[in-house]
Amino acid sequence: MGEEHKTSIGSSVIPIVNKLQDIFAPFGDLSKIKLPQVAVIGSQSSGKSSVLEALVGRDFLPRGSDICTRRPLILQLENRSLKNGDGDDSTSSEWGEFLHLSKKRFYDFSAIRREIQAETDREAGSNKGVSDKPIRLKISSPHVLNITLVDLPGITKVPVGDQPRDIEAKIRGMIMSYIMHETSIILAVTPANTDLATSDALEMAKSADPDGSRTIGVITKLDIMDRGTNACNFLLGKVVPLHLGYIGVVNRSQADINQNRALHKLLQVKRTSFIIIL
């Protein structure tokens, strides 16, 4: 009974938080508003997009070899099976809605990806520019948890395109503005084929959360580690300890992405190996 009560409280609070975010959005930088959320951080090409799409179970984020996340994406996930009386089939229908396109529902998740790209270009330009003005997207589905996620631009070192010379400092400042609040859970994403001790994501997380009490480490790309190596020490927290521990993720291959193989089908094939939790 106690667990059911806790679940009920959490399910009722998150929609209120989402509504507050929508109300405050027109008035400026939402990162200054201390509302509960999960911020996903990591270096460019660290696998952040794969982690987010695995949580949603759908392909909807822009992909490419260059910087793809160029504006913060506030992603509100809403479990429709907890809603009643909305007039729709709560067991099958799922859609996305953007705050800047009120009352327009996207049932095609490829169209959601195109709109994220188009809205990014409108604000940050089409030549790899970066903006701190967030895009707000709500996804309603019976297959997601009630949770608010923030996808932030990947940490990059060298400016390209229209990016300013101090692009690294700007992105780090943008990330810190979201993760410094005690109400933020930090998902620090690091590829398994890099040195965890030099992880940009864990470095920033430690600055915002010195005791590691609200940081979850995510180790991606486990399947492309060099032969003879493994991530056991990483996942067991022996290199960089975290109170909340680590999650290991096997990402989709680039061939899977290029061939548009649906994420939910790959999850069925790789259900025993796609996500490893220790």
Side-chain angles (χ1 to χ4, degrees):
M1 184 69 180
E3 282 299 318
E4 291 179 2
H5 182 61
K6 289 178 183 177
T7 301
S8 176
I9 291 175
S11 300
S12 62
V13 167
I14 291 175
I16 295 172
V17 170
N18 290 344
K19 187 64 177 177
L20 287 172
Q21 290 176 328
D22 291 343
I23 292 171
F24 288 134
F27 300 102
D29 186 4
L30 272 174
S31 67
K32 297 176 182 176
I33 302 171
K34 300 179 181 180
L35 296 176
Q37 57 194 10
V38 178
V40 186
I41 67 173
S43 298
Q44 188 175 312
S45 302
S46 61
K48 292 191 296 91
S49 295
S50 292
V51 172
L52 284 163
E53 289 181 336
L55 290 171
V56 177
R58 289 302 213 114
D59 307 310
F60 68 99
L61 293 172
R63 294 298 189 90
S65 56
D66 296 320
I67 183 170
C68 296
T69 305
R70 298 188 286 123
R71 293 175 58 181
L73 174 67
I74 311 294
L75 179 60
Q76 298 174 349
L77 302 185
E78 178 184 59
N79 188 312
R80 295 190 58 247
S81 64
L82 299 178
K83 297 179 66 178
N84 297 312
D86 59 4
D88 293 309
D89 179 0
S90 63
T91 62
S92 61
S93 184
E94 52 187 346
W95 65 79
E97 296 175 286
F98 290 94
L99 185 64
H100 65 273
L101 295 173
S102 60
K103 299 182 180 180
K104 180 177 180 179
R105 289 182 174 179
F106 289 76
Y107 294 91
D108 180 355
F109 280 73
S110 295
I112 291 177
R113 179 190 296 114
R114 292 192 294 271
E115 181 58 31
I116 291 173
Q117 185 63 61
E119 180 62 14
T120 296
D121 289 347
R122 280 192 283 270
E123 181 65 28
S126 58
N127 193 23
K128 302 178 178 62
V130 175
S131 169
D132 61 0
K133 185 176 180 181
I135 297 172
R136 302 189 56 75
L137 169 63
K138 180 182 292 182
I139 292 180
S140 296
S141 167
H143 310 300
V144 299
L145 299 173
N146 279 319
I147 192 172
T148 300
L149 301 163
V150 184
D151 183 20
L152 292 158
I155 303 162
T156 186
K157 308 285 186 182
V158 181
V160 295
D162 290 336
Q163 295 172 1
R165 292 183 178 180
D166 60 345
I167 184 63
E168 181 181 4
K170 287 185 178 299
I171 290 179
R172 284 179 176 270
M174 188 191 310
I175 292 171
M176 287 300 295
S177 70
Y178 282 89
I179 68 174
M180 65 185 294
H181 304 314
E182 294 183 357
T183 53
S184 288
I185 299 296
I186 305 168
L187 285 191
V189 180
T190 305
N193 59 344
T194 62
D195 186 351
L196 201 66
T198 61
S199 164
D200 289 320
L202 288 173
E203 175 201 358
M204 293 199 67
K206 189 169 182 61
S207 296
D209 176 32
D211 62 358
S213 61
R214 52 187 180 87
T215 300
I216 301 173
V218 181
I219 310 297
T220 58
K221 306 184 180 182
L222 289 170
D223 56 327
I224 63 171
M225 295 185 73
D226 292 337
R227 280 188 178 182
T229 63
N230 63 65
C232 286
N233 287 339
F234 292 170
L235 293 168
L236 293 172
K238 293 182 178 180
V239 179
V240 181
L242 294 174
H243 289 304
L244 299 181
Y246 289 84
I247 298 172
V249 179
V250 176
N251 300 70
R252 283 184 297 166
S253 69
Q254 189 60 46
D256 290 335
I257 296 171
N258 293 341
Q259 294 169 16
N260 291 321
R261 296 186 66 187
L263 180 57
H264 68 276
K265 292 182 179 178
L266 289 171
L267 281 171
Q268 292 173 357
V269 172
K270 300 182 179 180
R271 188 164 299 278
T272 59
S273 62
F274 189 85
I275 297 180
I276 307 162
I277 302 178
L278 295 179

